[in-house]
Amino acid sequence: MIRRAVVVPHPPLLVPGLSPGPDPELATLREACVSAAGRLGPVWTAIGADAQDQVIGPDAAGSFRGYGVDEQVALSAGGTPRVLPLPALIAGWLREQAGAESVETRLVARGTTAAECARLGSELTGDLLILGDGSNRHGPRSPGSEDERAPAFDDAVAKALAKADTQALLDIDPGLADELGAGGRVPWQVLAGTGGNWHGELLYSAAPFGVMYHVAVWEFE
């Protein structure tokens, strides 16, 4: 049975060794993510999005070498090194920061429909770590170039996460999410598919570098 779910972004900048230097906004984001992850139990299931479906077991380990720093992380103690996608790397890093025992990472294809996401969510059990960024088109210096629709889109996501509004998350338009560079759409809709009565708490929602990052904790009532 699912008891808790935590929603976090997964930028490489969360890892101190990969950040350009001290930044108060980045420190606040990192603190929110680690604090949220710390409210999960010892064993997690992480949900992220990638080019295709895959499951990465807790016996894996990896490195942020591809992002500029050879910092090692593991999904459990003594994991076997392999090349891991970013969501799995961040899941491993957060596991270590929170002192959790293990995390299995399930990646869902980015083009998965809302209905299929909901079906996948209905099959999940255990504590969940939901990994995904909001729109990357906030402001003139954003990596995806500014889009005037981004603020309203992420404001709606933030409200849905704060209220644990599963229907609002399932109603996210996949086409609009893609246009706005919101990589969290699929993981959020998988979470929404878990159903039930949730209590939501939004810990962080801001776009300090032109990409919106949401951090939330859901607890099953």
Side-chain angles (χ1 to χ4, degrees), residues 27 66 76 82 87 93 122 129 148 162 180 186 221:
S76 66
R82 55 179 285 193
W93 182 78
S122 70
L129 179 71
E148 62 183 9
L180 294 177
V186 164
E221 296 183 333

Side-chain angles (χ1 to χ4, degrees), residues 8-11 29 132-139 142-143 150-158 161 180-184 188 202 204-215:
V8 296
H10 57 72
L29 170 62
D133 300 345
S135 173
N136 65 1
R137 306 190 69 176
H138 287 267
S142 58
F153 173 88
D154 273 308
D155 182 58
V157 171
L161 292 174
L180 294 177
W188 299 333
L202 188 68
Y204 182 95
S205 185
F209 310 107
V211 183
M212 183 62 72
Y213 301 133
H214 303 290
V215 179

Side-chain angles (χ1 to χ4, degrees), residues 96-161:
E96 294 176 353
Q97 302 306 303
E101 179 181 323
S102 66
V103 54
E104 176 182 86
T105 304
R106 300 186 183 186
L107 300 178
V108 183
R110 296 188 185 98
T112 303
T113 65
E116 179 63 10
C117 287
R119 186 193 68 78
L120 293 171
S122 70
E123 299 175 349
L124 294 174
T125 60
D127 283 7
L128 304 179
L129 179 71
I130 306 297
L131 297 143
D133 300 345
S135 173
N136 65 1
R137 306 190 69 176
H138 287 267
R141 300 173 63 185
S142 58
S145 75
E146 186 174 15
D147 191 305
E148 62 183 9
R149 300 171 296 174
F153 173 88
D154 273 308
D155 182 58
V157 171
K159 289 178 179 177
L161 292 174

